């Protein structure tokens, strides 16, 4: 039998490496040693046989397209799917937990191997993550998760939990609203659904209120994130608090609903603020009138960055512990900045992000998140909440965790080279 040459042996070896990143490193080492591999091998091909790269099919499972935030989110998801050349499926649970679970159970029959999901309530995340782990579906949870529960509690297929920093958003928007009324007076508070995100936004707003002794926060009824429900709440509030000076709504959809009531009642002196930074909200803020501020969590970006992380995990990348809980950057928009943010994020024919450039596997050396991304410290995120004893043992070595937290913070800051708000 004819013995194999060194080159033939290397070609055979590289064709047997399943992990894309390991295969790439092997090929780089071979090149450094002066060994030229056939183009077919460089593309992951066996001699006379194609080496099948993972076929990507991603799904989103969110509440409804009737909410402007999720419409913007889906726009980012579609753009990313196109950039990464993966198939995509859109699912809507309409805030029905049973429907949501059924949709997740059905993912394998649709050939889906990646899922981006915002749950109806945080308590569903462990079940959905477990279903994804059992069915080899890479999973990213957005916005909601139970306190002290982390991806490490499930396994490698639960890649990440990501959210905007809702405490900071509530704090920054609250300050702008309170300043707009001279730092004193009654401020009607309209909450969303009872979720950790809603609680965090409330905490941020109350933190801001503590800096303005003349502010009295009243109301606190729930608009469930929905414009029409917020209208109903606002109709009762104008009767209950005729001396109100401002309204703090926990998202833009509710703020816009409340604003419509204020305009109908000719209460044009009452200021209002929201969170989410939807195009319509940004346009109102840009007018410099009643709607004084919002915070944009960049919905298209959130969807796109989550999809990229799942794509990279599918292709062999493994996140570190600190990369499995992440904040995605957001911006507070005022009358001076709202029009510019709206133009960059929503008005262009294309979104202002190069989603393929975010990928670690497509760009191992020069990947760029194009936004401010930084890890979540569970000890800070859930401080004071019950259940800390349930936190995964992976976080148990405080010195090791601190070092990794700092390293990941620096890593993402160093790679953040471009983007519409750089």
């Amino acid at each position: 039998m004819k013995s194999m040459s060194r080159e033939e042996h290397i070609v055979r070896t590289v064709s047997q490496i399943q992990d894309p990143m390991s295969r790439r490193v092997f090929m780089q080492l071979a090149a450094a040693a002066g060994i030229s591999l056939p183009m077919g091998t460089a593309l992951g091909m066996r001699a006379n046989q194609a080496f099948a790269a993972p076929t990507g099919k991603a799904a989103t499972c969110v509440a409804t397209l009737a909410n402007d935030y999720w419409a913007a989110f889906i726009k980012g998801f579609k753009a990313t799917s196109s950039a990464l050349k993966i198939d995509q499926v859109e699912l809507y649970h309409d805030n029905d937990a049973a429907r949501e679970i059924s949709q997740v159970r059905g993912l394998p029959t649709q050939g889906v191997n990646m899922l981006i999901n915002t749950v109806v309530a945080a308590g569903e995340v462990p079940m959905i993550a477990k279903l994804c782990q059992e069915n080899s579906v890479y999973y990213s949870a957005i916005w909601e998760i139970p306190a002290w529960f982390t991806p490490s509690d499930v396994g490698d297929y639960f890649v990440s939990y990501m959210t905007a920093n809702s405490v900071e958003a509530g704090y920054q928007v609250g300050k702008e609203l309170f300043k707009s009324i001279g730092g004193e007076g009654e401020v009607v508070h309209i909450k969303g659904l009872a979720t950790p995100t809603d609680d965090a936004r409330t905490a941020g707003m109350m933190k801001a209120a503590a800096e303005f002794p003349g502010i009295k926060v009243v109301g606190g009824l729930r608009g469930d994130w929905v414009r029409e429900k917020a209208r109903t709440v606002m109709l009762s509030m104008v009767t209950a608090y005729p001396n109100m000076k401002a309204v703090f709504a926990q998202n833009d959809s509710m703020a816009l609903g409340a604003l419509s009531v204020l305009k109908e009642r000719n209460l044009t002196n009452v200021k209002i603020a929201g969170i989410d930074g939807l195009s319509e909200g940004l346009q109102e803020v840009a007018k410099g009138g009643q709607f004084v501020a919002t915070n944009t969590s960049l919905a298209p970006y959130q969807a796109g960055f989550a999809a990229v992380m799942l794509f990279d995990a599918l292709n062999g990348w493994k996140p570190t512990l600190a990369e499995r809980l992440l904040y995605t950057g957001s911006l507070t928009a005022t009358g001076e900045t709202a029009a510019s943010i709206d133009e960059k994020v929503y008005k262009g024919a294309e979104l202002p992000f190069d989603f393929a450039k975010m990928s670690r596997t497509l760009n191992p050396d020069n990947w760029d998140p194009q936004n401010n991304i930084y890890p979540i410290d569970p000890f800070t995120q859930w401080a004071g909440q019950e259940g800390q004893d349930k936190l995964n043992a992976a976080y148990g070595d405080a010195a090791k965790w601190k070092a990794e937290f700092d390293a990941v913070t620096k890593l993402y800051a160093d790679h953040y080279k471009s983007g519409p708000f750089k």
Side-chain angles (χ1 to χ4, degrees):
M1 180 181 293
K2 179 182 176 181
S3 61
M4 287 189 295
S5 67
R6 181 177 66 162
E7 287 76 9
E8 288 172 329
H9 181 75
I10 290 173
V11 168
R12 179 177 178 180
T13 300
V14 73
S15 71
Q16 294 173 340
I17 300 175
Q18 301 292 313
D19 179 75
M21 294 189 72
S22 299
R23 186 166 63 251
R24 184 181 297 112
V25 171
F26 186 94
M27 290 164 59
Q28 289 171 343
L29 293 172
I35 300 168
S36 177
L37 297 177
M39 182 58 69
T41 304
L43 295 174
M45 308 289 288
R46 298 175 188 241
N48 302 319
Q49 183 180 359
F51 180 86
T55 300
K57 188 171 186 179
T60 51
C61 184
V62 298
T64 172
L65 272 178
N67 182 304
D68 294 337
Y69 176 86
W70 295 119
F73 189 92
I74 294 299
K75 181 179 179 181
F77 173 65
K78 287 181 175 179
T80 310
S81 299
S82 177
L84 299 177
K85 297 179 173 57
I86 57 177
D87 295 330
Q88 55 96 15
V89 175
E90 299 166 37
L91 301 171
Y92 301 98
H93 53 62
D94 296 320
N95 289 321
D96 181 332
R99 175 183 174 88
E100 176 184 44
I101 297 299
S102 176
Q103 289 171 331
V104 174
R105 288 187 189 279
L107 294 179
T109 64
Q110 299 180 65
V112 169
N113 49 20
M114 294 173 278
L115 172 65
I116 301 164
N117 168 235
T118 289
V119 293
V120 180
E124 294 146 30
V125 173
M127 179 184 294
I128 291 175
K130 183 174 182 290
L131 287 171
C132 288
Q133 182 72 23
E134 292 172 348
N135 291 288
S136 302
V137 175
Y138 290 97
Y139 176 50
S140 180
I142 308 292
W143 286 115
E144 310 300 346
I145 198 171
W148 307 109
F149 180 79
T150 72
S152 297
D153 296 328
V154 180
D156 289 346
Y157 284 95
F158 189 178
V159 177
S160 67
Y161 163 69
M162 289 186 285
T163 186
N165 189 332
S166 291
V167 172
E168 185 64 16
Y171 173 68
Q172 294 295 340
V173 170
K175 284 200 304 181
E176 293 296 332
L177 181 64
F178 303 150
K179 285 190 294 184
S180 76
I181 59 173
E184 60 182 23
E186 288 184 338
V187 177
V188 167
H189 181 206
I190 301 179
K191 297 180 179 181
L193 287 169
T195 64
T197 293
D198 188 70
D199 291 343
R201 290 177 179 181
T202 296
M205 184 270 294
M206 294 305 293
K207 176 183 175 183
E211 298 178 6
F212 295 83
I215 293 294
K216 182 181 180 181
V217 178
V218 297
L221 296 182
R222 295 195 179 277
D224 295 348
W225 308 125
V226 178
R227 186 180 302 211
E228 286 305 314
K229 180 76 177 288
R231 273 187 54 84
T232 302
V233 169
M234 196 67 234
L235 285 168
S236 66
M237 292 294 97
V238 295
T239 301
Y241 302 102
N243 297 319
M244 74 175 76
K245 293 289 187 66
V247 178
F248 183 96
Q250 304 271 81
N251 78 347
D252 280 3
S253 290
M254 296 190 301
L256 291 164
L259 180 62
S260 68
V261 172
L262 296 175
K263 288 181 176 180
E264 289 168 5
R265 299 297 180 93
N266 200 33
L267 296 172
T268 55
N269 61 321
V270 176
K271 304 297 185 181
I272 195 163
I275 297 176
D276 278 348
L278 303 176
S279 182
E280 189 177 353
L282 290 167
Q283 291 172 49
E284 284 291 340
V285 173
K287 293 176 182 177
Q290 282 184 270
F291 204 143
V292 299
T294 184
N295 180 278
T296 177
S297 51
L298 303 173
Y301 177 89
Q302 279 189 314
F305 187 70
V308 168
M309 286 192 74
L310 296 183
F311 171 85
D312 284 346
L314 179 70
N315 284 280
W317 171 71
K318 293 187 182 299
T320 62
L321 184 66
E323 290 174 292
R324 300 182 77 179
L325 297 174
L326 291 174
Y327 283 129
T328 53
S330 61
L331 300 165
T332 295
T334 62
E336 292 73 32
T337 61
S340 174
I341 294 171
D342 187 38
E343 184 69 29
K344 289 178 179 179
V345 178
Y346 296 105
K347 297 302 184 186
E350 297 182 356
L351 291 169
F353 303 105
D354 184 342
F355 292 108
K357 194 173 182 180
M358 297 177 191
S359 168
R360 304 284 191 90
T361 56
L362 296 179
N363 306 281
D365 300 320
N366 62 344
W367 59 276
D368 183 349
Q370 298 160 63
N371 192 5
N372 182 28
I373 304 293
Y374 55 107
I376 298 171
D377 184 347
F379 300 100
T380 301
Q381 176 79 354
W382 297 309
Q385 297 191 47
E386 294 182 359
Q388 182 172 343
D389 58 317
K390 298 177 182 177
L391 182 64
N392 194 281
Y395 297 89
D397 187 327
K400 183 180 178 181
W401 165 245
K402 177 65 165 56
E404 183 171 316
F405 181 93
D406 291 344
V408 169
T409 301
K410 183 177 186 304
L411 175 69
Y412 279 81
D414 289 347
H415 277 268
Y416 180 15
K417 301 293 186 183
S418 65
F421 305 108
K422 178 64 178 173

